[in-house]
Amino acid sequence: MDQVRLSDGVVTLTPFRAEDIDAHLAGEDELLVRWLNGGPSTRAGTEEYVRRCTAQWVYRGPARVFGIRTGPEPVLAGTIDLRFAMPCLGPGQVNIAYGLYPAFRGRGLVTRAVHLVCGYAAQEGAREGVIRVDPENHASAAVARRAGFRYAGRMPEPPGSALDRYVRELAGAPVGAHAAAARTV
């Protein structure tokens, strides 16, 4: 788990960990609650989530959650996670979900993070990335498009909602010049 580090020189991704709890709780806002978390985080809930995330890394489970970090002394700017198994995914697909704290939005950091996790997911055997977006979440859809994902339609999602689905081949797809230096250390 500690050996996984992806970076393009601006964004660094490392596994989400217990040391991130305070920064995560301080950074969460109404947009993260609405689009990603499904409700406000609590310390106890976040601690449990970090325990589950850590176990997924240790046992190479189907969920891998990264902290998005930036700056000379990398600070937590948000999270991005990969789900290699979900009922809505086909063989070889990986779901990508992301959220950035307000102070870090509007700088292209999530797009960079998506490029980095796409390379990682391809190394782990995924062939196609999937980003599912609430139709009203225009900022998240814009990230998907900037990261080279194409709109694949609106799909029903339980309970009684629908999400826009964006897809991108992972192998051999151009990822942009800023992600060319990505590496796993």
Side-chain angles (χ1 to χ4, degrees):
M1 170 175 150
D2 291 330
Q3 296 83 5
V4 178
R5 181 181 183 275
L6 310 173
S7 184
D8 68 0
V10 174
V11 167
T12 299
L13 306 180
T14 59
F16 192 62
R17 55 187 186 249
E19 297 83 9
D20 295 328
I21 292 172
D22 288 334
H24 174 74
L25 292 170
E28 183 179 78
D29 70 343
E30 66 279 350
L31 293 177
L32 285 174
V33 169
R34 178 178 180 190
W35 301 125
L36 191 63
N37 298 352
S41 296
T42 64
R43 174 160 291 282
T46 304
E47 288 172 352
E48 176 56 30
Y49 179 67
V50 168
R51 280 192 287 280
R52 288 192 318 267
C53 291
T54 301
Q56 290 289 309
W57 280 105
V58 169
Y59 297 107
R60 297 190 49 82
R64 314 279 167 80
V65 179
F66 291 92
I68 301 171
R69 301 167 202 290
T70 192
E73 297 292 320
V75 296
L76 187 68
T79 61
I80 187 165
D81 68 273
L82 299 173
R83 305 281 177 186
F84 291 92
M86 292 175 71
C88 64
L89 297 177
Q93 291 184 321
V94 61
N95 188 77
I96 302 166
Y98 40 81
L100 211 56
Y101 308 133
F104 299 96
R105 293 182 186 138
R107 296 194 258 168
L109 300 175
V110 172
T111 303
R112 289 174 172 273
V114 169
H115 287 305
L116 289 169
V117 296
C118 283
Y120 173 83
Q123 290 175 358
E124 293 293 304
R127 294 186 310 276
E128 185 173 59
V130 176
I131 296 176
R132 297 163 32 250
V133 178
D134 185 294
E136 294 181 23
N137 189 344
H138 303 291
S140 190
V143 167
R145 288 189 302 273
R146 280 192 304 272
F149 285 70
R150 66 174 172 72
Y151 181 71
R154 189 161 289 165
M155 307 296 184
E157 296 269 340
S161 64
L163 296 178
D164 288 340
R165 190 175 176 104
Y166 294 83
V167 297
R168 179 183 127 185
E169 257 186 68
L170 299 181
V175 295
H178 64 271
R183 63 191 178 281
T184 303
V185 181

